[in-house]
Amino acid sequence: KAMRHPMLLTLHYGGSLLMAVTLGSIFANLEYDLDGAQDRIGVLFFILFYLALLSMSSLPVWRDEYLLFAHERASNVYGNLSYYISIVMFDLVLVRVVPPFSFAFISYQWMDLQEYCHKCLYDFVIILVL
């Protein structure tokens, strides 16, 4: 999909990086008081909401891709297994895993979500990817 729809990949990478930098600069150095706790809850909600909406931007591509797949499968260009493996290897990794990784690694430390817990960063990344 990245080769057929390069704008989709640009949207996911550019949008994630831009939003991570924006949120990191807005919520930089949160305090450890009630206002900081409310800001952390709000930013966590916004991050999950943003990544959910970002992933929905590829839904029209899936519809068009299915029509192309049905045509190419009927022409015996490739089978179901090879299509499935290519989707998992490229679409899942490039579009679904890399943007949340970059988003988390840029914004997590910048916003001081958990200052001294490095394991929490990896948990945060796993939650964003799922």
Side-chain angles (χ1 to χ4, degrees), residues 12-13 16-17 20 47 51 54 92-109 121-130:
H12 280 266
Y13 287 178
S16 291
L17 292 176
I47 289 170
L51 289 175
L54 188 66
L92 190 66
V93 172
L94 288 177
V95 179
R96 305 288 174 239
V97 174
V98 174
F101 260 80
S102 63
F103 193 99
F105 283 115
I106 290 172
S107 64
Y108 189 82
Q109 294 288 57
L121 172 63
Y122 301 120
D123 293 341
F124 183 63
V125 169
I126 289 171
I127 289 170
L128 289 184
V129 169
L130 293 178

Side-chain angles (χ1 to χ4, degrees), residues 11-69:
L11 170 75
H12 280 266
Y13 287 178
S16 291
L17 292 176
L18 180 69
M19 192 57 67
V21 169
T22 303
L23 287 177
S25 62
I26 290 173
F27 293 101
N29 301 323
L30 292 174
E31 299 294 326
Y32 290 100
D33 57 356
L34 182 62
D35 290 336
Q38 289 175 339
D39 287 342
R40 280 181 179 81
I41 291 171
V43 78
L44 289 175
F45 172 75
F46 182 78
I47 289 170
L48 292 174
F49 184 69
Y50 173 74
L51 289 175
L53 288 178
L54 188 66
S55 67
M56 288 177 56
S57 68
S58 64
L59 286 178
V61 175
W62 280 95
R63 184 188 64 231
D64 297 339
E65 193 75 22
Y66 174 74
L67 296 174
L68 184 62
F69 165 69

Side-chain angles (χ1 to χ4, degrees), residues 67-125:
L67 296 174
L68 184 62
F69 165 69
H71 176 70
E72 289 175 349
R73 186 183 61 183
S75 300
N76 288 329
V77 175
Y78 50 79
N80 292 339
L81 182 63
S82 60
Y83 178 75
Y84 177 74
I85 290 172
S86 69
I87 289 296
V88 167
M89 292 300 293
F90 292 103
D91 183 60
L92 190 66
V93 172
L94 288 177
V95 179
R96 305 288 174 239
V97 174
V98 174
F101 260 80
S102 63
F103 193 99
F105 283 115
I106 290 172
S107 64
Y108 189 82
Q109 294 288 57
W110 204 353
M111 291 186 284
D112 285 339
L113 291 179
Q114 193 70 312
E115 191 172 0
Y116 299 109
C117 181
H118 297 294
K119 181 190 175 297
C120 298
L121 172 63
Y122 301 120
D123 293 341
F124 183 63
V125 169

